[in-house]
Amino acid sequence: MKRLLFAACLALLTANFLPAADALINASARQALSLNGRWHIIIDPYDNGYFNYRHEPHDAAKNPTSGYFLDKKPATPSELIEYDFDHSPSLMVPADWNSQDDKLFYYEGTVWYRRLFDFTPHAPDARQFLHFGAANYEADVYLNGKKLGRHVGGFTPFQFEVTGKLLPSGNSLVVRVNNQRHLEAVPTVNTDWWNYGGLTRDVMLLEAPATHVRDYFIQLKSGSRDRIAGYVQLDGAALAQKVKIEIPELKISTEVTTDTAGRAPLDFALTGATLWSPENPQRYEVIVSAGADRLAEKIGFRTIETRGTDILLNGKSVFLRGICLHEENPLRGGRATTPEDARLLLGWAKELGCNYVRLAHYPHNEYMARIADEMGLLLWAEVPVYWTIHWDDPTTYANAANQLTELIARDHNRASVIIWSMANETPVSPSRTTFLKNLVVLTRSLDSTRLISAAMERHSSPEDPNTSIVEDPLAEVTDLCSFNQYIGWYAGLPDDCAKAKWLINYNKPVIVSEFGADALQGMHGDKLARFTEEYQENLYQQTLPMLEKIPQLRGMTPWILCDFRSPRRPLPGIQDGWNRKGLVGENGTKKKAFFILRDYYAKKAAEAAR
Ligand code: GCU
């Protein structure tokens, strides 16, 4: 393990990744200039802006300027420049490019974005940071012709400090975004979702005092319902100073002094609080102040733990009535990216009677967890370690570890997030299990308060095809035994559910992290006719009693809330590039199976209330 970890750290340094998780916490609460809006673009399928004709990067060490597509005009009529952002097309930011322009629908390559902005600092000694909610899949960022750096990974925030590099007017921000898939990437080349490219989340110029609060972790101590544990981390020159934490509604005000590294542990009583739950998503305003910096946000406090095969929320047994969802607004098409998108998707989950949602298969935008906090939905969050990842490649591990670190750093104060998931449907092998067990060790070192899982797989025994076995060495180190199963769709027919037996030898809570069937909304027929709503309805009717036979069952997230785009689903007239396992069609209409699951969850909720 040490060898892999050392190699991973080396890879991190040589793969010019950003230092993991240096993004400012609670970005939306800070002094900010939004850089959302229309950006001019240049579509660059041969990446000429990044490589010269010898395929050498323009911005290699010997020439640390931006790529070929600098935002400059010919100095003289004879100067040859073959690009001009001002007269190029534009795209909205934040948004994927695929859903904005038919010419980019299947596009995988480089798009150069450029936006000009003026800037006046709010305080003479303030510091400035360019903050990106995410860019899929890799981003090279240039300011006023100079490269700031690169980020790899399509779904987590990153930032660059630009203090002292800004002009009062006409700052030129150029970003190369490339969404090409690679075998050694995370995810790898094959996924069952659309490879939406672009500046898919908010872009902001953040300001913070010279010494400011960069990060804080304020949650209930593991196993305690009345004591806060965590830390606060400053950044700047005056690192050792007093930091105040206030929760006015609870009349809590405590002060700590950070050490010379700017860090201080937090450990104080949380008396009189109403604990957060889906039924009562109570949040409190928490204020963190240090010197000239003052940050506030609403935080919910709850405990989540397992005891044997039970999951306990605030010490009380909970059954996770869930649903999976992709980060896609089916009505508009394209990446879900706004608070309105989050409310639409989570609103449908609430209509279903859910208290829990699996945010598949990658970190979703920050609005999802913040709005889940507000609406009262528990969340499973995951990184795109999906299917056939290159388990032996240290750069791949460093990438996965970096994405996981950035996800945890962003959402570790969200009461809704109760599970960090390491992977989805990854074929068992020694190198895969080492890779994932290392991610588990990393996750526990970053956050000891949440549960760890992964969507594992079942297989049937050779002797008896009706016996499903869940046996995965990774389950030895996760808190939950979660697995996907598709009896009745990929394995046999719905009637086979009644014959199914389960062999799951773990004294742990079991969550069935996927099951489902495709149905074209509005297509009706016999319940054994594939792609009809009746087939999907029948599969749900047969699956639910089958899963109830699993004694350790403590939750499920059927696949999936809404139909979603996938290049793997071409069936003309039925799929047309959509995976149709949604309980809600691409037009927002609910299918018959939606109501089967809704009634089942109503029954489970009534049982829990008794
Ligand atoms: C798999 C996978 C999903 C996929 C689904 C399907 O289990 O985890 O990403 O979309 O099955 O085949 O529809």
Side-chain angles (χ1 to χ4, degrees), residues 97-98 107-108 136-137 179-181 193-197 567:
W97 61 59
N98 313 71
Y107 182 66
E108 295 185 309
N136 189 45
Y137 170 78
N179 73 332
Q180 281 166 303
R181 291 164 291 116
W193 69 81
W194 207 266
N195 179 25
Y196 289 114

Side-chain angles (χ1 to χ4, degrees), residues 143-166:
L143 178 66
N144 299 328
K146 289 284 179 288
K147 181 154 192 184
L148 297 176
R150 161 174 284 200
H151 183 265
V152 175
F155 305 96
T156 48
F158 57 97
Q159 72 182 34
F160 301 98
E161 181 158 7
V162 291
T163 310
K165 298 178 178 174
L166 293 164

Side-chain angles (χ1 to χ4, degrees), residues 305-323:
E305 55 202 325
T306 62
R307 187 182 300 149
T309 61
D310 213 350
I311 300 174
L312 305 178
L313 175 69
N314 302 326
K316 196 164 162 268
S317 178
V318 63
F319 185 88
L320 301 179
R321 309 188 305 271
I323 192 74

Side-chain angles (χ1 to χ4, degrees), residues 192 361 386 424-425 486 490 514 559 564 569 579 581:
D192 193 20
H361 281 301
Y386 182 94
N424 181 74
E425 289 190 351
Y486 281 91
Y490 293 123
E514 283 182 36
W559 190 262
F564 62 95
R569 310 292 174 173
N579 181 311
K581 294 189 183 65

Side-chain angles (χ1 to χ4, degrees), residues 383-549:
V383 286
V385 176
Y386 182 94
W387 290 355
T388 54
I389 292 287
H390 272 206
W391 308 113
D392 293 310
D393 183 332
T395 305
T396 304
Y397 178 80
N399 184 345
N402 190 54
Q403 292 189 44
L404 187 56
T405 303
E406 291 178 337
L407 165 62
I408 293 171
R410 186 193 72 184
D411 290 350
H412 61 198
N413 293 312
R414 302 276 69 81
S416 51
V417 180
I418 56 167
I419 297 167
W420 301 121
S421 174
M422 306 294 107
N424 181 74
E425 289 190 351
T426 52
V428 177
S429 72
S431 55
R432 163 265 191 190
T433 303
T434 300
F435 186 108
L436 296 184
K437 283 187 173 180
N438 286 333
L439 288 183
V440 171
V441 169
L442 171 66
T443 303
R444 294 211 191 281
S445 72
L446 295 170
D447 177 5
S448 61
T449 70
R450 290 178 170 87
L451 306 179
I452 292 178
S453 193
M456 297 173 239
E457 294 183 285
R458 66 150 204 119
H459 58 274
S460 47
S461 71
E463 301 72 43
D464 171 7
N466 290 320
T467 297
S468 290
I469 301 168
V470 179
E471 196 175 34
D472 186 327
L474 183 64
E476 293 155 18
V477 297
T478 56
D479 298 299
L480 306 169
C481 171
S482 310
F483 61 90
N484 300 345
Q485 68 84 25
Y486 281 91
I487 296 171
W489 183 256
Y490 293 123
L493 295 172
D495 292 348
D496 293 323
C497 292
K499 296 177 273 184
K501 295 189 288 296
W502 294 90
L503 197 53
I504 306 172
N505 292 328
Y506 297 104
N507 181 35
K508 297 187 173 188
V510 163
I511 295 182
V512 179
S513 37
E514 283 182 36
F515 69 83
D518 279 69
L520 176 62
Q521 190 278 320
M523 188 162 107
H524 296 285
D526 183 86
K527 67 181 182 179
L528 285 178
R530 291 221 184 222
F531 297 106
T532 62
E533 286 199 38
E534 285 71 22
Y535 189 107
Q536 186 189 46
E537 178 188 42
N538 180 33
L539 181 119
Y540 274 73
Q541 288 166 327
Q542 305 266 4
T543 299
L544 295 169
M546 169 183 71
L547 300 183
E548 286 277 341
K549 289 185 212 161

